[in-house]
Amino acid sequence: NFFRRRRVQMSLFKHQFTVSQQTQLKSSHQKKLVQSLKSDYRNVSDDTWASIFPSKCSVLRSKLSNKILLYSIKLKSNTTADKLPIYFFECKLNGKDRIFPTLYLLWRYPTFSPCVCIPSAVSTFVLRGADLMLPGVSRQAHAYYNQHPEVNETQMNAVDLQTVAMHAVLSIKVIGNPFPCAVGYAILSAKDISRAGDDKGRFLKLVHIFRDQLWEFGGKVKPNAGFLSHVIKPVEAPPMHSDANDEKVNANDNENDGAVDDDDNGDDEFDALSIDNQLVYAFFHTLLHISSSSLPMDVSEIYQQMRQNETIARYQSIDVKQTSFNKLARFAQNAQFEKFMQCKAQKSKILIESVHAKPIAQHLLLLINGIEVLTLDVVLRWFEQNWSASESQNNDQDEDKDADQDAEEGGDLENKTDETDEKSTLSLPQRFEHWYTSEWKTPDRVHTASQLIDQLFGGWAQIEECDDIQQAFKQHLSRTFNIILPASSSSSSSSSQEVLDLQSPDEAFRCQFLQTLKESVNPDQLPMTASTLLTKSRLYILKPMFVFSKRNLLNVDVEKDIITSIKQTRWKKSVKFLKELSKQNIIQIKDYSGSGGEWMITDVNFGYLQNKFNVDGKAQFFTPSAFEKFVSKIIELKQQQNEANGDGDGNDDDRERQQFENHRQHKICIQTMYRANHRLLPIFGDANISRLHTKNKARTFLWSY
């Protein structure tokens, strides 16, 4: 996929490693190790060192396959089955041995080493393994902690950028999260930082980050809920923002209370769902906002987008393995979801080819509000029966007066007419309230009439603005999930198909190119060069709008009447044409011309080609081979006409020209062929080793081998 995520790249622990040797340090070597650490990390207090290396503890040194040494602490209380904490690792730095703390040590002692503060958005690049750039450092946070040393010493231990030394060991913390996410060393000194200012440049070289192989080797532990797979989130309000905005927060308490209550209610409704329904709601809510141009799309990619949703944090903790589905493939191929999407199994992947937005939005609305499908059907049926009655209430009142006169003559229908009079004078909301509370008997009713109207239609005010109840329901779905749904079936059928203007040269060439994409390109062939589709040997040519007869063919001027080149259109160049299709979300392109290549088509919106382009078959096209026959037939007919017209009064020049054209029809094809060497016998086999082959044919033997 063109929008595929980048692979995670680590620094020292990028690849998996194994423990080749493990030894327990002698007491003398252990003392030397502690003294060396104290000299490197002089700001650490004696109490912290006593907590890290308690009395009567032993240090285990593990030698890894990548020549890095790990130091683990073993206490007397530890058994052989316990996982020993990994606190330090030793590696070569500029030709010298250097000991760094691990994240497991820094999570236990967050102020062990000075740190660099970064925003949460920068952590995405750090977790990919990229070195920390100088613009990614939050100078505002460092300035705040420099002005408040008592807060800095107890909570953050942020380094002073004006005194940082070259090759100093530093950790990286996200503002609002007290635990580090990476360890590295500075490659810029304070003088370099002051000289660089805010310019681009690397500041910190990473050696150990969250989710690398050392983290997995240590037990895959997360210090708090802010540590996600792709980003580190703050778990508390940053102190510099809380101090500065106290007055604003206090002044806007009344306005913010309502918003907080709404969010809490939404969270409560979502949390009340079962774990299976939470997965259904989160997955299909994410699927609703997938562009149709991105389809077909792998189910796993949509699942990853759901778990990496930064705006809705509650989706990030949902795991398909904790549900009854257990596997993503089993979830996608469930029979109850067939009306929501169409899936296709391709090798080990499951691709979603099309999405039905309205059934998905309706299901999510009922699911989050706890409304049964039967309740929705009964309510919609009641509105359809009573909608016309509410519009013609005045006429009904006149008819009721006539009915009253007839009833007075009969005498037996007085009570019935009184009831109809009362109902006819009620408004539509009052009649619905009366029907819902008294006439429609349902067990275990949870919602009141007003709650049901608000949850299904957005209130009575929204209903009164629409022409019918179906339109009100669809508009409420559109507003709730921020999607576009057709207002009626007639409008959707008319807008689903694209109107073609085949008389315009620009539209004719565009139709030819789209037909070529539709007929001759498969998803497995992407990416592919755009120039291969714009040549006459691949391009599908639009058929002229006339009856194919000899007279009509003789009137065709191939160079003017048939559009076969981009130069005959307003674009003139293929790059402009491709960029316009890219803006229309029909194709996705990428420029490789700077590296010696050309423009490549990386993705095609096959859903648009199948569902909207030339659905009625109004435009008909020649295949490349059929177009060659069409042109040759026109040339042949014109030659026959010229011969018939030039028999009596032709001169010598015309005869010579005609002889020259006749000789051109007898073409000679020169082709180079190859015979394989006897050393290629395993590739070509006994039957083909001595035969002549074209270059393309010879390549097929190599690929099959």
Side-chain angles (χ1 to χ4, degrees):
N1 193 302
F2 179 65
F3 299 100
R4 187 174 297 168
R5 292 185 303 147
R6 293 178 57 187
R7 286 190 173 184
V8 178
Q9 296 183 355
M10 313 302 174
S11 296
L12 290 181
F13 300 98
K14 172 184 175 181
H15 303 290
Q16 292 184 352
F17 55 81
T18 57
V19 179
S20 59
Q21 186 180 2
Q22 190 176 45
T23 57
Q24 181 175 334
L25 296 182
K26 296 180 180 180
S27 58
S28 58
H29 292 172
Q30 183 174 334
K31 290 180 180 180
K32 290 182 179 180
L33 175 64
V34 175
Q35 291 176 359
S36 176
L37 289 172
K38 288 183 177 181
S39 62
D40 291 341
Y41 303 95
R42 298 178 181 179
N43 295 329
V44 181
S45 62
D46 294 336
D47 295 338
T48 303
W49 288 119
S51 177
I52 297 175
F53 297 99
S55 59
K56 297 182 180 180
C57 73
S58 57
V59 179
L60 297 181
R61 182 175 64 188
S62 303
K63 187 176 182 180
L64 306 182
S65 56
N66 54 9
K67 299 182 180 180
I68 296 177
L69 301 179
L70 300 182
Y71 292 98
S72 307
I73 310 300
K74 183 179 181 181
L75 305 178
K76 266 192 170 183
S77 58
N78 293 127
T79 62
T80 55
D82 293 338
K83 187 74 175 181
L84 300 180
I86 304 171
Y87 281 169
F88 301 96
F89 63 93
E90 182 179 352
C91 62
K92 290 283 186 180
L93 177 61
N94 297 326
K96 297 181 180 180
D97 294 332
R98 191 71 181 271
I99 301 178
F100 294 88
T102 64
L103 289 178
Y104 292 105
L105 174 72
L106 296 178
W107 290 344
R108 186 172 181 182
Y109 308 98
T111 59
F112 179 86
S113 67
C115 73
V116 178
C117 301
I118 63 172
S120 176
V122 181
S123 64
T124 58
F125 303 98
V126 173
L127 295 186
R128 294 175 184 171
D131 295 335
L132 180 62
M133 310 298 286
L134 191 58
V137 180
S138 176
R139 295 178 181 267
Q140 179 186 2
H142 283 270
Y144 172 82
Y145 287 116
N146 291 337
Q147 297 174 1
H148 301 78
E150 66 283 352
V151 179
N152 188 27
E153 292 177 0
T154 57
Q155 297 182 7
M156 190 62 66
N157 193 15
V159 67
D160 188 359
L161 298 178
Q162 298 178 357
T163 60
V164 65
M166 180 74 76
H167 298 159
V169 178
L170 301 173
S171 61
I172 298 177
K173 293 182 181 180
V174 171
I175 302 173
N177 199 316
F179 296 109
C181 62
V183 181
Y185 61 91
I187 55 178
L188 289 179
S189 62
K191 294 182 180 180
D192 299 330
I193 295 175
S194 61
R195 190 183 305 114
D198 292 333
D199 296 338
K200 297 181 180 179
R202 292 191 303 168
F203 171 51
L204 207 65
K205 180 70 176 178
L206 301 184
V207 294
H208 171 37
I209 64 177
F210 173 63
R211 294 184 66 85
D212 63 0
Q213 294 298 322
L214 180 58
W215 172 79
E216 293 186 2
F217 183 75
K220 300 182 179 181
V221 180
K222 295 181 180 181
N224 57 33
F227 278 69
L228 305 178
S229 61
H230 64 290
V231 69
I232 307 299
K233 292 287 188 179
V235 294
E236 58 188 20
M240 57 272 193
H241 296 311
S242 61
D243 293 344
N245 297 331
D246 278 342
E247 298 181 358
K248 295 181 180 179
V249 172
N250 294 331
N252 298 330
D253 276 342
N254 295 331
E255 297 179 1
N256 294 336
D257 284 343
V260 172
D261 290 342
D262 294 340
D263 294 340
D264 292 341
N265 292 337
D267 292 341
D268 294 340
E269 294 172 352
F270 184 80
D271 295 338
L273 300 175
S274 63
I275 186 63
D276 288 359
N277 287 334
Q278 287 182 1
L279 174 63
V280 171
Y281 188 90
F283 181 85
F284 284 105
H285 190 206
T286 306
L287 184 61
L288 275 179
H289 297 87
I290 298 295
S291 174
S292 59
S293 60
S294 302
L295 301 178
M297 193 173 185
D298 192 1
V299 174
S300 61
E301 295 181 9
I302 302 174
Y303 179 72
Q304 290 296 330
Q305 290 188 22
M306 178 197 76
R307 299 201 65 186
Q308 295 172 5
N309 194 330
E310 298 182 1
T311 58
I312 308 178
R314 56 179 179 265
Y315 290 177
Q316 299 171 357
S317 59
I318 299 176
D319 190 0
V320 68
K321 295 183 179 179
Q322 299 176 359
T323 65
S324 61
F325 302 103
N326 195 17
K327 293 183 179 180
L328 195 60
R330 190 178 302 169
F331 168 78
Q333 294 178 330
N334 197 297
Q336 62 176 330
F337 303 141
E338 291 181 354
K339 58 182 179 181
F340 300 153
M341 58 184 181
Q342 292 182 357
C343 298
K344 176 184 178 182
Q346 186 176 12
K347 296 182 180 179
S348 60
K349 297 181 180 180
I350 298 179
L351 301 179
I352 297 179
E353 295 183 325
S354 61
V355 177
H356 308 301
K358 184 179 180 297
I360 293 177
Q362 175 180 322
H363 180 75
L364 298 185
L365 183 70
L366 300 180
L367 185 65
I368 197 66
N369 292 304
I371 302 174
E372 298 292 336
V373 179
L374 177 62
T375 303
L376 174 64
D377 295 339
V378 173
V379 171
L380 292 177
R381 195 179 307 116
W382 185 90
F383 272 101
E384 291 174 355
Q385 295 173 357
N386 293 269
W387 191 274
S388 59
S390 64
E391 294 180 350
S392 58
Q393 186 172 356
N394 296 329
N395 297 331
D396 292 342
Q397 291 178 358
D398 296 337
E399 294 176 359
D400 291 339
K401 291 180 180 178
D402 298 336
D404 290 341
Q405 297 176 359
D406 297 336
E408 290 176 357
E409 298 176 358
D412 295 334
L413 303 176
E414 291 182 358
N415 297 330
K416 294 183 179 180
T417 54
D418 292 339
E419 293 178 0
T420 55
D421 288 341
E422 292 177 0
K423 292 183 180 179
S424 61
T425 57
L426 297 177
S427 62
L428 186 63
Q430 292 173 343
R431 279 187 287 159
F432 179 79
E433 180 80 24
H434 176 76
W435 169 79
Y436 184 75
T437 55
S438 60
E439 297 184 13
W440 186 34
K441 304 294 183 180
T442 56
D444 301 332
R445 179 175 294 167
V446 179
H447 306 86
T448 63
S450 60
Q451 290 177 349
L452 197 64
I453 293 299
D454 292 339
Q455 293 170 354
L456 290 180
F457 309 105
W460 286 106
Q462 303 296 335
I463 295 178
E464 293 174 356
E465 294 177 358
C466 301
D467 297 332
D468 55 18
I469 195 62
Q470 293 290 345
Q471 181 183 0
F473 182 62
K474 290 178 181 179
Q475 287 187 4
H476 181 60
L477 292 178
S478 301
R479 286 189 296 265
T480 303
F481 298 102
N482 195 20
I483 57 177
I484 299 176
L485 293 175
S488 61
S489 59
S490 60
S491 61
S492 63
S493 61
S494 61
S495 61
S496 61
Q497 182 179 343
E498 188 180 74
V499 180
L500 303 179
D501 182 14
L502 304 181
Q503 302 297 328
S504 171
D506 300 337
E507 189 66 21
F509 186 82
R510 180 178 178 273
C511 292
Q512 293 175 176
F513 183 77
L514 295 182
Q515 183 69 17
T516 306
L517 289 176
K518 186 176 181 180
E519 296 293 339
S520 61
V521 177
N522 296 322
D524 298 336
Q525 298 175 343
L526 299 176
M528 65 185 307
T529 58
S531 60
T532 58
L533 297 178
L534 295 172
T535 58
K536 295 181 181 179
S537 59
R538 293 289 299 274
L539 198 64
Y540 279 65
I541 305 300
L542 190 66
K543 289 184 178 181
M545 303 290 290
F546 59 71
V547 179
F548 284 84
S549 62
K550 182 177 180 180
R551 179 181 298 177
N552 291 333
L553 291 178
L554 289 173
N555 295 328
V556 173
D557 188 347
V558 178
E559 296 181 356
K560 295 181 180 180
D561 299 339
I562 306 296
I563 308 299
T564 58
S565 174
I566 191 70
K567 295 181 180 179
Q568 298 174 261
T569 65
R570 61 179 172 86
W571 295 291
K572 300 300 180 183
K573 294 184 179 181
S574 59
V575 176
K576 294 182 179 179
F577 172 68
L578 296 174
K579 287 182 178 179
E580 183 169 322
L581 292 182
S582 179
K583 291 180 180 179
Q584 298 172 359
N585 291 327
I586 298 177
I587 61 174
Q588 291 175 1
I589 57 177
K590 193 171 184 181
D591 183 15
Y592 290 94
S593 58
S595 58
E598 56 180 312
W599 285 87
M600 302 286 289
I601 299 176
T602 58
D603 198 4
V604 178
N605 185 358
F606 292 100
Y608 166 82
L609 297 178
Q610 297 295 333
N611 301 324
K612 290 188 177 182
F613 170 69
N614 197 25
V615 179
D616 57 354
K618 177 181 178 182
Q620 297 182 358
F621 302 88
F622 288 114
T623 61
S625 59
F627 180 69
E628 291 182 2
K629 295 180 180 179
F630 174 74
V631 175
S632 61
K633 183 65 176 178
I634 293 176
I635 296 175
E636 181 182 353
L637 291 175
K638 289 186 176 182
Q639 288 178 355
Q640 294 177 0
Q641 186 183 28
N642 293 334
E643 291 177 358
N645 295 335
D647 287 341
D649 54 350
N651 52 23
D652 295 338
D653 294 336
D654 293 337
R655 294 192 188 94
E656 292 179 359
R657 188 180 298 107
Q658 186 64 35
Q659 292 176 359
F660 177 74
E661 292 293 336
N662 294 335
H663 283 299
R664 286 185 59 185
Q665 296 180 2
H666 304 285
K667 297 180 180 179
I668 300 175
C669 179
I670 302 177
Q671 190 174 20
T672 305
M673 305 187 73
Y674 302 87
R675 180 182 288 113
N677 191 282
H678 67 279
R679 290 175 294 181
L680 302 179
L681 180 62
I683 298 177
F684 286 84
D686 295 333
N688 299 310
I689 190 65
S690 59
R691 293 182 179 179
L692 292 173
H693 306 283
T694 62
K695 183 181 291 186
N696 291 333
K697 182 65 176 177
R699 285 174 176 171
T700 58
F701 287 102
L702 178 61
W703 302 142
S704 61
Y705 176 76

